[in-house]
Each structure stands twice: as structure tokens, then as C-alpha cells.
């Protein structure tokens, strides 16, 4: 692949005419920086201050001061990290550590703890599952062609381009279970032009080309109808459930599956090497909560959770997406799905001839066989999934009171505004501010992924408490709000520039050698407590998504995924039965409170302009 060549060559040695579009900035990307130790420690102290009482903060100050002593452990660990970052063989000093700790070495089930989902707005032209699935796959194939020909425009802009390396894991990719750490495989797109389909836990293969011509949407629709008919009403053993069990369990069971029949390995390889997986569920979600839950978890069976891309289509034509997170963050797949939905909605996808060729081969059913031992393992995994998901709740809120268009009139960042909505909603429910994570992308750096945006600040706490105090004048609340917005924007900009707290401190901690004393900063309770993410939040943008989400990251916390649309705010709240519906109610109330407060400024501004 040309992508591999580009990683080994400088752009200057290439003919300018041959430089492709998608990766044209790749070799100009900077390495992820190592922040100055003093800067990180000061940011850290500022971030923990609102979470600690005076006595605890004084103890933390001492620990940080000790860490910064000249010739001390902090200085030595910083030297080690700088040496790692400067190694010419290391593209990104964090990459190997982060991929293992956060994903490949993480052993809990992919759902609810790793994968993420999108729900799509309904397609009024395509109400049947076969027609909806056919249109989605056709549009995905168009996007895939842009990726393979490397004509896809790079994300970001010419001044701040984003790393595009993760796109190589988008199609024909699969995660594999292994102890102590999983791994991913990608397959040659030139020789693997098939998609996989699962219906009633039965897997099928559809070749996307016939006689050198891609199947039309109508031909695909016919293929999906054949699969639905062939699958019938009986369900096969739920192989998908094992892929959503503990990763060590799946690593133990996979050899048992392969040994159940000599052909199983080849059949699984066809599934795993496919472009994508289409899940045709025999269920019709009736509302936003059901739709969201079904895309996130479904029944845990009619899936293959290790596949990088899974498009889910329901009996009533509703649809969505489930992404495996280990090799790719949400922004590339959100771009893919938004491309699919927006271009279908605007009639810009070439659906092909409106005819079905008579000699198109029927889909191939993968007749995977299960030994008694394998069937017992399936049953255990099904039980494990049901028990785990019974401990979870989800609420998907669509708030139509305002969106990005109004927030911009408040002269502030829409993301900062909504983050304060989340803070206020949580405070209304719990009466306290707890550590909050917001994902900040670091894709402006080579192989960059994310950094933590620490939302809670002294400014945010002051604003939230003032919002709930009727004795505080409106003008002061507004001033405190603007201070909170500015503090949040400042931290998020720093995080996106690789100048956050959490990844740097993680790198320093990981460079401790066996037998070395752990510095007091890492033993201080404030270190663990300030990164105990009671709120794990993240934003993606698409007018065509109805919701998106993922699971909480701590047992006593919530996951909050949100979309800031032009005229609406969408929140998906998940937790271990802590009251996702209650928090959603509080979020709506908080949004109303903040809207009312900041709208009060708009008439005053108009009057001032009129006088001028």
C-alpha cells in the first residue's frame, strides 16, 4: 500500500503530481510533545484544587513540591520520558502504552466498556431492513473507495492537519483476543471485497462484485432478502456472545471454536476479513431509548463485536452503527457515517442500475459448527452478558430548546457551554461536583489519539454553585459563567496541543523502574481521586445522528455522550443503574436554566447597539 511507503519516505522525494490527497500532510505532522514538568504540575494543582478541602490540598502541594525538587524523581522521570520521545524509532511516545493500557490489554467486555454506538435518523424512503441496509452499504463502499484511492480529503485544515493513519483500520479489519494483550489484523482490500452479514446469529458472506462490477443497491437489497429468508426463524448458537465476554475468556474459547470443526478457521477468517459486518436484527425499536440500547448492546448475540465496523439494521428500517474502539477513535467513523447519511439524504450516492442481474451468486452461509464444549461456553457467555447488562441503564435525551445557533449568540464556545450544562445537571442531582473527563483529540500530532480535558475547575464550581443559589444576582452568575467557559476552553486548547495533565503524568509513572520508590505525588489520594471519572463525556457532531454513546468508566459514574446540533442538544446517559433517566431530566432542567440566564443578555446588547 502507498500508505506504508509514505511512512518510510519524505514528501520531498516524491513527484508533486503523484502526492496523494489523504496523506499529504502525514510526514509534516509533529511528534506528540512532552510538556514541561513545571507546567504540568501547576495545571495539576489547579485542577485538583476545587476537588479537595484545605488540608488535603496542602498535602498535595507538598507532594508536588517534592516531585519538582532539583535532582529528584520528577526530574529523572522527565529525562527518561524526553529520551523516549526523542527516539527516532518512536513515532509517538504515548502510542504503545496507551493502546495497550486503554484497549488491547484491557480485559473487560467490549460492551459496555469499550465500544461506542451511533443511532441514525430514520430514512423516509427506505423503510424495510433490506432496502435500508443496501443503501447504507452502497454509500459506505463509495467512502471506502475514497480511502483506498487516497482521494479522501484529510481532516483538519492546512494550518492544523490531523493524522489520518488510523483510517487503515477502518475497513477489512478485526480485533483478536489474546493473553495478556489483544491485537488487530487488517486484510488486503484488493482481495477481500466481501461483506459479512449476521441474521438470527447466522453469518453470511456477500461478494460485493460480480463480473468486475459492484453490486447495485437493488442487487444488494435482493441479497439481504435472500439472507432473511434463508435464516428463517430459528437461531444459531450465539458466537457473538463470546466475542463480548471477558477478553481472557474469549481468548480461551476461541481455540475451542476452531477445534470444533476443521473448516471453522477458514469460515471465521472470511468473517473477520470482511469489509464490514451488517447485523440484521429481528427487532423493531420503538423509541430513542430502545434504539440506542439496541445499537449499543442489542441482545448481545446477533453481532461479532471484534469487527471494526458493524452497521445494524432493524426490522422496521431503523439503523445505527457499533464501533470497536481499540484502533480508531470516534471522529473517523463519525465522518464515515455522516458521509453515508448526508449523501443518501441529498440523493448524492450512485445506487447503480435499477435492475438485478440474473446470475449474481447467492450469499454464502458460514456453517460454523460447535462442539459440546463450545456450546457450553456460548451458554455461559450469554448468561454473563445478560447479567452484566441487567446492571446498566441508558437514557437518550433529545432537548429541542436550543442548540449551536443560539449558543453562538451568547458569544461563547458551544462545547464549553454544554459542558457547564452537564456540570449543573450533575450538581442538581448530587449536590456536588465530581471529576469530569472530556475527550480532547490530539490528532494534530503523528499517531495522536486523545488527551483528558479536565472540566471541573475552581471557576466551574463557583458558577455551578451560584446557579443554584437564588441570592446571587443574575449579572454575577453571567460573569461567573463566562469565567467558567473561558477556563474550560483554555484547558481544552492546551489538551489538544498535547499539554494536558493526565497523559504526561501517566508516562512519567510508567517509567518507574522495578524497585524504585513511587513518588509521593502518585501515592497521594488526590492523584487517584482526581482521575476517578464520575462523568466521562465526549462530543461528536452530526445533524444525521439521533444519539450516540458508550458506557461509564467507573462503577459509580456516568457516561455522557452528546451532540450539539444547530437547534438541539442530544445527550445519551449510561450508568450502572444509578439513574440515567434522572440525570437526563436534570440535564434538561440545567439547559433551560442556562438558556434563560444568558438569553437575558441578548436584548441588552441590541439596545446598546441601537443607541450607538
Amino acid at each position: 500500500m502507498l500508505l506504508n511507503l509514505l511512512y518510510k519516505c519524505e514528501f520531498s522525494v516524491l513527484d508533486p503530481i503523484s502526492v496523494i490527497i489523504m496523506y499529504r500532510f502525514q510526514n509534516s505532522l509533529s511528534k506528540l510533545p512532552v510538556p514541561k514538568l513545571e507546567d504540568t504540575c501547576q495545571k495539576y494543582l489547579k485542577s485538583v484544587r476545587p476537588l479537595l478541602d484545605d488540608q488535603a490540598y496542602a498535602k498535595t502541594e507538598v507532594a508536588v513540591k517534592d516531585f519538582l525538587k532539583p535532582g529528584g524523581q520528577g526530574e529523572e522521570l522527565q529525562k527518561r520520558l524526553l529520551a523516549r520521545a526523542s527516539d527516532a524509532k518512536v513515532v509517538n511516545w504515548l502510542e504503545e502504552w496507551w493502546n495497550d493500557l486503554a484497549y488491547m490489554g484491557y480485559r473487560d467486555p467490549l460492551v459496555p466498556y469499550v465500544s461506542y454506538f451511533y443511532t441514525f435518523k430514520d430514512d423516509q424512503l427506505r423503510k424495510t431492513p433490506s432496502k435500508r441496509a443496501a443503501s447504507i452499504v452502497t454509500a459506505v463502499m463509495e467512502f471506502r473507495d475514497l480511502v483506498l484511492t487516497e482521494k479522501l480529503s484529510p481532516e483538519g485544515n492546512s494550518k492544523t492537519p490531523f493524522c489520518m493513519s488510523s483510517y487503515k483500520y477502518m475497513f477489512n479489519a478485526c480485533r483478536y483476543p489474546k493473553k495478556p494483550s489483544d491485537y488487530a489484523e487488517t486484510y488486503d482490500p484488493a482481495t477481500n471485497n466481501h461483506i459479512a452479514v449476521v441474521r438470527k446469529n447466522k453469518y453470511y458472506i456477500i461478494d460485493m462484485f460480480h463480473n468486475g462490477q459492484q453490486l447495485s443497491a437493488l442487487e444488494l437489497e435482493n441479497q439481504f432478502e435472500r439472507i432473511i429468508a434463508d435464516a428463517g426463524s430459528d437461531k444459531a448458537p450465539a458466537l457473538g456472545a463470546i466475542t463480548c465476554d471477558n477478553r481472557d475468556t474469549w481468548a480461551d474459547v476461541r481455540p475451542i471454536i476452531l477445534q470444533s470443526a476443521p473448516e471453522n478457521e477458514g469460515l471465521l477468517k472470511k468473517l473477520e476479513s470482511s469489509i464490514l459486518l451488517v447485523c440484521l436484527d429481528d427487532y423493531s425499536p420503538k423509541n430513542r431509548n430502545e434504539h440506542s440500547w439496541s445499537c449499543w448492546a442489542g441482545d448481545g448475540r446477533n453481532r461479532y463485536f471484534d469487527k471494526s465496523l458493524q452497521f445494524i439494521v432493524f426490522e422496521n428500517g431503523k439503523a445505527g452503527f457499533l464501533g470497536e474502539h481499540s484502533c480508531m477513535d470516534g471522529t473517523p467513523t463519525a465522518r464515515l457515517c455522516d458521509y453515508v447519511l448526508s449523501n443518501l439524504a441529498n440523493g448524492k450516492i450512485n445506487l447503480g442500475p435499477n435492475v438485478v442481474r440474473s446470475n449474481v451468486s447467492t450469499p454464502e452461509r458460514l456453517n460454523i459448527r460447535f462442539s459440546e464444549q463450545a456450546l457450553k461456553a456460548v451458554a455461559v457467555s450469554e448468561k454473563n452478558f445478560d447479567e452484566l447488562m441487567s446492571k446498566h441503564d441508558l437514557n437518550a435525551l433529545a432537548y429541542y430548546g436550543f442548540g449551536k445557533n443560539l449558543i453562538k449568540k451568547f458569544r461563547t464556545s458551544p462545547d464549553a457551554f454544554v459542558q457547564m450544562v452537564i456540570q449543573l445537571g450533575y450538581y442538581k442531582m448530587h449536590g456536588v461536583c465530581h471529576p469530569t473527563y472530556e475527550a480532547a483529540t490530539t490528532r494534530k500530532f503523528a499517531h495522536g489519539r486523545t488527551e483528558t480535558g479536565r472540566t471541573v475547575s475552581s471557576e466551574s464550581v463557583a458558577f455551578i454553585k451560584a446557579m443554584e443559589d437564588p441570592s446571587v444576582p443574575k449579572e454575577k452568575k453571567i460573569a461567573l459563567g463566562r469565567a467558567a467557559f473561558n477556563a474550560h476552553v483554555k484547558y481544552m486548547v492546551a489538551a489538544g496541543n498535547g499539554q494536558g495533565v493526565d497523559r504526561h503524568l501517566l508516562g512519567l509513572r510508567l517509567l518507574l523502574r522495578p524497585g524504585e520508590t513511587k513518588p509521593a505525588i502518585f501515592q497521594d489520594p488526590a492523584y487517584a481521586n482526581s482521575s476517578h471519572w464520575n462523568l466521562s463525556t465526549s462530543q461528536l457532531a452530526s445533524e444525521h445522528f439521533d444519539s450516540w454513546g458508550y458506557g461509564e468508566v467507573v462503577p459509580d459514574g456516568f457516561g455522557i455522550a452528546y451532540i450539539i446540533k444547530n437547534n438541539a442538544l442530544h445527550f445519551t446517559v449510561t450508568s450502572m443503574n444509578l439513574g440515567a433517566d434522572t440525570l437526563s431530566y436534570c440535564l434538561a432542567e440545567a439547559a433551560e436554566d442556562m438558556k434563560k440566564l444568558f438569553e437575558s443578555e441578548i436584548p441588552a446588547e441590541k439596545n446598546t447597539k441601537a443607541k450607538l
Side-chain angles (χ1 to χ4, degrees), residues 189-237:
T191 55
N192 291 282
N193 280 300
H194 60 281
I195 66 168
V197 184
V198 58
R199 170 76 174 184
K200 303 284 187 179
N201 309 335
K202 302 167 186 175
Y203 299 94
Y204 297 81
I205 296 298
I206 297 176
D207 287 324
M208 286 300 298
F209 289 84
H210 177 68
N211 291 337
Q213 181 180 347
Q214 184 178 308
L215 300 188
S216 68
L218 188 60
E219 287 173 332
L220 270 175
E221 182 182 344
N222 186 53
Q223 296 289 67
F224 288 128
E225 288 174 351
R226 287 176 171 180
I227 288 172
I228 291 171
D230 183 81
S233 58
D234 296 332
K235 294 188 176 183

Side-chain angles (χ1 to χ4, degrees), residues 87-368:
D87 188 337
K89 297 178 183 178
V90 176
V91 176
N92 183 309
W93 63 262
L94 178 64
E95 181 178 24
E96 183 180 350
W97 284 334
W98 186 251
N99 289 349
D100 186 67
L101 289 172
Y103 298 111
M104 295 305 189
Y106 185 71
R107 310 320 287 165
D108 284 340
L110 299 185
V111 172
Y113 298 116
V114 178
S115 297
Y116 58 93
F117 71 89
Y118 312 139
T119 66
F120 300 160
K121 291 174 66 175
D122 290 346
D123 187 335
Q124 299 303 321
L125 298 177
R126 302 168 182 94
K127 294 287 191 177
T128 66
S130 56
K131 188 178 290 291
R132 186 79 194 271
S135 67
I136 289 172
V137 170
T138 301
V140 171
M141 291 295 289
E142 185 172 293
F143 190 90
R144 177 179 183 253
D145 185 63
L146 291 175
V147 173
L148 296 186
T149 59
E150 300 175 344
K151 294 178 181 178
L152 185 71
S153 61
E155 293 174 43
N157 55 56
S158 58
K159 292 184 178 180
T160 311
F162 279 2
C163 181
M164 301 292 285
S165 64
S166 63
Y167 274 79
K168 64 179 176 283
Y169 292 105
M170 182 172 281
F171 303 105
N172 302 98
C174 193
R175 177 172 174 164
Y176 285 85
K178 186 179 179 181
K179 297 179 180 179
S181 189
D182 291 357
Y183 63 98
E185 291 279 4
T186 58
Y187 294 88
D188 186 356
T191 55
N192 291 282
N193 280 300
H194 60 281
I195 66 168
V197 184
V198 58
R199 170 76 174 184
K200 303 284 187 179
N201 309 335
K202 302 167 186 175
Y203 299 94
Y204 297 81
I205 296 298
I206 297 176
D207 287 324
M208 286 300 298
F209 289 84
H210 177 68
N211 291 337
Q213 181 180 347
Q214 184 178 308
L215 300 188
S216 68
L218 188 60
E219 287 173 332
L220 270 175
E221 182 182 344
N222 186 53
Q223 296 289 67
F224 288 128
E225 288 174 351
R226 287 176 171 180
I227 288 172
I228 291 171
D230 183 81
S233 58
D234 296 332
K235 294 188 176 183
L239 172 62
I242 305 176
T243 68
C244 199
D245 210 330
N246 178 278
R247 301 306 294 176
D248 286 347
T249 299
W250 176 209
D252 290 337
V253 174
R254 183 178 167 83
I256 297 173
I257 300 291
L258 297 181
Q259 294 162 12
S260 293
E263 65 271 22
N264 280 1
E265 184 171 4
L267 296 177
L268 280 183
K269 188 68 70 178
K270 287 185 178 181
L271 166 60
E272 293 155 351
S273 63
S274 62
I275 296 168
L276 54 84
L277 175 63
V278 176
C279 308
L280 296 173
D281 279 18
D282 58 349
Y283 174 68
S284 294
K286 300 297 192 299
N287 55 51
R288 188 173 288 107
N289 285 349
E290 290 183 4
H291 192 186
S292 299
W293 183 277
S294 299
C295 289
W296 183 32
D299 66 359
R301 293 153 174 82
N302 200 54
R303 302 282 184 273
Y304 197 82
F305 288 94
D306 285 358
K307 278 297 292 177
S308 58
L309 303 180
Q310 295 186 79
F311 289 89
I312 305 158
V313 183
F314 302 95
E315 290 285 86
N316 56 359
K318 288 185 179 294
F321 169 85
L322 182 68
E324 202 287 300
H325 205 176
S326 60
C327 294
M328 212 170 17
D329 293 321
T331 46
T333 58
R335 183 184 185 185
L336 161 67
C337 292
D338 189 74
Y339 178 96
V340 167
L341 299 172
S342 61
N343 283 291
L344 284 171
N346 294 316
K348 293 183 178 180
I349 298 297
N350 180 4
L351 299 175
N354 198 32
V355 294
V356 177
R357 288 170 285 178
S358 60
N359 56 345
V360 174
S361 59
T362 59
E364 174 192 359
R365 180 169 169 180
L366 303 180
N367 290 309
I368 300 168

Side-chain angles (χ1 to χ4, degrees), residues 4-23:
N4 295 325
L5 175 65
L6 287 176
Y7 284 153
K8 299 174 184 176
C9 300
E10 296 296 329
F11 276 92
S12 59
V13 304
L14 297 177
D15 178 353
I17 298 176
S18 69
V19 173
I20 40 73
I21 297 173
M22 186 172 171
Y23 299 106

